[in-house]
């Protein structure tokens, strides 16, 4: 039996998943946990915390996978941008720092690509041959799974649906530096602000009570999301689209207006064939995906 550890680094929490792998069997999730991310910490402080978690309470894993909310150089493991995480991360050699502190081989991947991998292999999209994963939360990310493997693209950015321009003349500057990106007009904080609430949980609770401002905010934001997803469905034409992230905790109160918005904006792909579902692995799906990415790397190295 092989034990692999996955960590999903977020601005608020670090999610953890330990996955055991046995030959000729599906990987098995044996442990999950959520720990707070060091507040306002430098990259060195965060790396020290990741290394501490990697030491494990149930034995040393053979390797470590880490999902990060941003972009990095695929070859060197050096961070390009982590816009939603505190600290000066650009140019930081994350993979090398983790390998030096843990003594483990480290696989890095984008956090939403990890979510997509987990939901495709073990979750809501299990058995599908073509999947798009979408995470709605602090930011908006995505990933693509096709024919049994994750497709990160040449630069590791395939599936970054949050950074397609939806409102070209928007005054809002996105974390990536562009204007009018889907993330900048539809992320969780924007939904809460439009509704005059402190959180998306409060927005959906107010909408359930008939609050007009909350209902209008949900309608506007889900229409933007519907445009973005209609674009993705038109270009990629996946078998299934899986939605996760903190905002997805609202369930059908979120998914139903998104489905309706997609139907309004989608023309080329038959709407009746579109499957938009909620992820089934919960908040630690990205960490599970990080562990599974290690498993795929190990399998590829043996091939």
């Amino acid at each position: 039996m092989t034990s692999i550890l996955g960590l999903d680094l977020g601005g608020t929490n670090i999610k953890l998943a330990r996955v055991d792998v046995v030959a000729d069997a599906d990987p098995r999730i044996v442990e999950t946990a959520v720990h707070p991310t060091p507040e306002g910490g430098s990259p060195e402080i965060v790396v020290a915390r990741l290394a501490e978690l990697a030491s494990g309470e149930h034995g040393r894993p053979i390797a470590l996978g880490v999902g990060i909310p941003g972009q990095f150089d695929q070859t060197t493991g050096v961070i390009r941008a982590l816009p939603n995480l505190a600290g000066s991360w650009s140019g930081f050699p994350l993979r090398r720092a983790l390998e030096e502190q843990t003594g483990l081989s480290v696989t890095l991947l984008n956090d939403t690509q990890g979510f997509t991998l987990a939901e495709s292999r073990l979750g809501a999209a299990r058995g599908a041959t073509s999947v798009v994963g979408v995470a709605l939360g602090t930011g908006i990310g995505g990933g693509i799974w096709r024919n049994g493997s994750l497709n990160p693209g040449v630069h590791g950015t395939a599936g970054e649906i949050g950074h397609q321009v939806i409102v070209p003349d928007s005054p809002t500057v996105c974390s990536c530096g562009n204007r009018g990106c889907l993330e900048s007009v539809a992320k969780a904080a924007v939904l809460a602000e439009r509704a005059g609430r402190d959180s998306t949980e409060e927005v959906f609770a107010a909408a359930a009570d008939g609050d007009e401002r909350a209902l209008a905010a949900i309608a506007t934001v889900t229409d933007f999301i519907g445009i973005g997803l209609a674009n993705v469905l038109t270009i990629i034409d996946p078998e299934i689209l899986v939605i996760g992230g903190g905002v997805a905790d609202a369930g059908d109160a979120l998914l139903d207006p998104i489905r309706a918005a997609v139907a309004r904006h989608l023309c080329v792909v038959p709407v009746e064939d579109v499957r938009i579902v909620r992820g089934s692995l919960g908040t630690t799906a990205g960490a599970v995906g990080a562990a599974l990415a290690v498993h795929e790397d190990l399998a590829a190295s043996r091939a």
Side-chain angles (χ1 to χ4, degrees), residues 77-135:
V78 171
I79 298 298
R80 290 182 180 143
L82 290 185
N84 296 317
L85 203 66
S88 301
W89 285 91
S90 180
F92 183 78
L94 179 59
R95 180 188 294 141
R96 187 182 72 200
L98 282 169
E99 289 182 340
E100 289 176 350
Q101 291 204 31
T102 64
L104 298 170
S105 173
V106 175
T107 295
L108 298 181
L109 77 165
N110 173 269
D111 56 353
T112 312
Q113 291 177 356
F115 163 79
T116 304
L117 174 57
E119 292 291 349
S120 297
R121 289 196 62 183
L122 300 176
R126 185 172 183 169
T129 59
S130 177
V131 182
V132 169
V134 180

Side-chain angles (χ1 to χ4, degrees), residues 22 70 81 130 165 169 173 300:
V22 182
S130 177
V165 176
D169 57 351
V173 179

Side-chain angles (χ1 to χ4, degrees), residues 6-222:
L7 298 174
D8 180 4
L9 173 60
T12 303
N13 293 307
I14 299 169
K15 279 79 74 178
L16 177 152
R18 184 179 292 272
V19 173
D20 283 352
V21 179
V22 182
D24 301 321
D26 286 335
R28 185 167 59 94
I29 303 166
V30 295
E31 177 190 4
T32 60
V34 178
H35 302 273
T37 302
E39 292 186 13
S42 66
E44 290 79 9
I45 291 174
V46 172
V47 166
R49 181 58 175 146
L50 293 173
E52 181 183 13
L53 292 173
S55 64
E57 299 178 358
H58 305 287
R60 181 177 172 83
I62 66 160
L64 174 65
V66 180
I68 62 172
Q71 300 173 9
F72 62 96
D73 186 288
Q74 298 283 299
T75 302
T76 65
V78 171
I79 298 298
R80 290 182 180 143
L82 290 185
N84 296 317
L85 203 66
S88 301
W89 285 91
S90 180
F92 183 78
L94 179 59
R95 180 188 294 141
R96 187 182 72 200
L98 282 169
E99 289 182 340
E100 289 176 350
Q101 291 204 31
T102 64
L104 298 170
S105 173
V106 175
T107 295
L108 298 181
L109 77 165
N110 173 269
D111 56 353
T112 312
Q113 291 177 356
F115 163 79
T116 304
L117 174 57
E119 292 291 349
S120 297
R121 289 196 62 183
L122 300 176
R126 185 172 183 169
T129 59
S130 177
V131 182
V132 169
V134 180
L136 305 175
T138 304
I140 295 179
I144 301 169
W145 162 278
R146 189 180 293 275
N147 296 327
S149 63
L150 196 65
N151 178 8
V154 174
H155 300 100
T157 60
E160 282 282 14
I161 69 168
H163 298 294
Q164 59 177 306
V165 176
I166 300 295
V167 187
D169 57 351
S170 172
T172 305
V173 179
C174 184
S175 61
C176 71
N178 209 346
R179 290 183 179 272
C181 291
L182 176 60
E183 179 174 302
S184 71
V185 297
K187 62 185 179 181
V190 171
L191 175 58
E193 182 180 2
R194 279 184 173 274
R197 302 285 171 167
D198 292 329
S199 67
T200 56
E201 292 85 357
E202 291 184 11
V203 175
F204 286 101
D209 289 335
D211 183 88
E212 292 187 2
R213 184 174 178 183
L215 289 167
I218 292 170
T220 298
V221 167
T222 55

Side-chain angles (χ1 to χ4, degrees), residues 245-279:
V247 183
D249 289 343
D252 286 340
L254 172 75
L255 294 187
D256 284 346
I258 287 178
R259 293 179 181 119
V262 167
R264 289 194 298 273
H265 298 292
L266 187 64
C267 294
V268 176
V269 177
V271 173
E272 62 273 15
D273 292 343
V274 173
R275 295 172 59 200
I276 300 176
V277 302
R278 182 183 175 190

